[in-house]
């Protein structure tokens, strides 16, 4: 620990150094780009909070941002609260997702096989099919029987139309807004959707995403323009060789299973005139 008071400039430099290790996003929407830089620091703070719901939600987004060590702090808060019987149903749902994230995104054991039953029981009627499927995916290599039970429960829950209600914390909602604009399908292990939707005013402008951690590996991609046609450059490290990559926001008909490459996509569709 420092033996003197830190100046504001030193504190800011420290935060920049920490945040500099995280997923880097440069979007045509300057507000979204700046929001992500603020959110990263807020997520790190939330991961060390005394609120297990906020800490567990922060862990999920920090994993995606490639900051597994910071995410583990949030998981530690969650596990301690679970051992002390201090979890709400919402925190139990967030906890299942946070633990599954370590197994599926980071590729390291989270102990979800020891806590899945407890957290599922605490979650009760707040449990949704998506969270149960993530739990099953994380359990599959460790306890196939438990994974089968989780999938069976997911099928039953799906019939009730119960859906994941999304992050509860302001910081989590901010992270979801930014990351939702650049990727979807990143937890399925079979497919990845880059730029699921693209606003019209993004056309013709560069896009850069570096170091997105997903269940199908670490992904980086860029978009550059050749006239009215977007060129997608991508690289995926880790995960299966058969993952399908799509870019529906720019060209719904394009897909590839290559780990890296460059593709000249179709020009954006021209709105129909009446």
């Amino acid at each position: 620990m420092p033996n003197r008071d830190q100046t504001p400039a030193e504190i800011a430099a420290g935060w920049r150094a920490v945040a500099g290790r995280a997923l880097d996003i440069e979007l045509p929407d300057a507000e979204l780009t700046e929001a992500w830089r603020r959110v990263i620091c807020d997520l790190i703070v939330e991961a060390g909070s005394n609120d297990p719901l906020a800490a567990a939600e922060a862990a999920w987004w920090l994993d995606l941002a490639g900051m597994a060590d910071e995410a583990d702090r949030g998981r530690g808060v969650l596990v301690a609260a679970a051992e002390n019987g201090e979890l709400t149903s919402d925190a139990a749902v967030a906890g299942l997702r946070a633990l599954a994230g370590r197994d599926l995104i980071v590729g390291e054991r989270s102990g979800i096989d020891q806590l899945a039953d407890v957290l599922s029981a605490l979650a009760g009627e707040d449990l949704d099919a998506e969270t149960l499927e993530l739990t099953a995916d994380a359990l599959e290599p460790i306890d196939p029987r438990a994974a089968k039970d989780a999938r069976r429960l997911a099928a039953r829950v799906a019939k009730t139309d119960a859906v994941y209600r999304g992050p509860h914390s302001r910081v989590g909602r901010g992270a979801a807004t930014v990351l939702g604009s650049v990727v979807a399908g990143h937890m399925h292990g079979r497919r990845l959707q880059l730029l699921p939707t693209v606003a019209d005013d993004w056309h013709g402008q560069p896009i850069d995403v570096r170091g997105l951690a997903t269940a199908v590996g670490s992904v980086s991609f860029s978009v550059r323009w050749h006239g009215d046609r977007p060129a997608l450059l991508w690289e995926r490290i880790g995960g299966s060789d058969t993952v399908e990559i799509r870019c529906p926001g720019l060209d719904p008909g394009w897909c590839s299973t290559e780990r890296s490459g460059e593709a000249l996509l179709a020009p954006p569709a021209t709105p129909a005139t009446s």
Side-chain angles (χ1 to χ4, degrees):
M1 296 295 291
N3 56 14
R4 61 175 176 80
D5 291 339
Q6 302 296 289
T7 67
E10 289 172 327
I11 294 171
W15 275 109
R16 283 194 296 270
V18 172
R21 304 197 308 267
L23 163 68
D24 184 48
I25 296 176
E26 294 284 346
L27 302 175
D29 187 328
E31 290 187 4
L32 277 180
T33 299
E34 184 57 33
W36 175 247
R37 291 168 181 162
R38 294 194 305 269
V39 162
I40 278 293
C41 295
D42 289 342
L43 288 171
I44 293 170
V45 172
E46 291 276 73
S49 75
N50 293 324
D51 179 354
L53 173 57
E57 288 187 347
W60 171 265
W61 300 110
L62 287 167
D63 278 336
L64 287 169
M67 304 192 75
D69 289 344
E70 297 294 343
D72 282 344
R73 294 170 58 236
R75 281 184 279 265
V77 172
L78 168 84
V79 171
E83 291 175 344
N84 293 329
E86 298 172 347
L87 290 183
T88 63
S89 59
D90 288 333
V93 173
L96 283 169
R97 298 174 75 87
L99 293 174
R102 192 172 204 269
D103 288 79
L104 300 175
I105 300 173
V106 184
E108 296 182 4
R109 296 287 175 84
S110 67
I112 193 171
D113 52 320
Q114 304 297 317
L115 289 172
D117 287 344
V118 172
L119 294 179
S120 296
L122 286 171
E125 294 183 357
D126 288 331
L127 201 55
D128 62 279
E130 179 183 306
T131 298
L132 283 165
E133 287 290 352
L134 289 171
T135 301
D137 288 345
L139 287 169
E140 190 70 51
I142 314 164
D143 190 340
R145 180 176 297 179
K148 186 176 181 179
D149 290 342
R151 295 194 200 283
R152 188 180 299 115
L153 179 57
R156 290 204 301 269
V157 170
K159 294 178 181 178
T160 69
D161 296 326
V163 297
Y164 177 56
R165 292 182 292 181
H168 292 74
S169 69
R170 175 189 60 80
V171 177
R173 291 192 297 272
T177 297
V178 179
L179 293 184
S181 69
V182 300
V183 68
H186 51 274
M187 296 305 298
H188 292 291
R190 297 176 296 278
R191 60 188 179 277
L192 185 70
Q193 294 183 37
L194 309 178
L195 301 173
T197 60
V198 174
D200 288 344
D201 57 4
W202 287 22
H203 292 169
Q205 301 189 64
I207 299 170
D208 292 287
V209 176
R210 295 282 182 271
L212 175 66
T214 77
V216 297
S218 176
V219 179
S220 298
F221 67 92
S222 297
V223 174
R224 297 294 184 266
W225 293 79
H226 297 274
D228 65 346
R229 297 188 65 178
L232 175 69
L233 300 87
W234 76 95
E235 180 181 44
R236 181 175 60 86
I237 301 172
S240 167
D241 288 333
T242 59
V243 174
E244 183 180 89
I245 296 177
R246 291 184 175 271
C247 191
L250 289 176
D251 184 350
W254 177 85
C255 71
S256 175
T257 56
E258 298 295 325
R259 286 188 170 274
S260 63
E262 178 178 354
L264 189 61
L265 307 182
T270 303
T273 57
S274 57

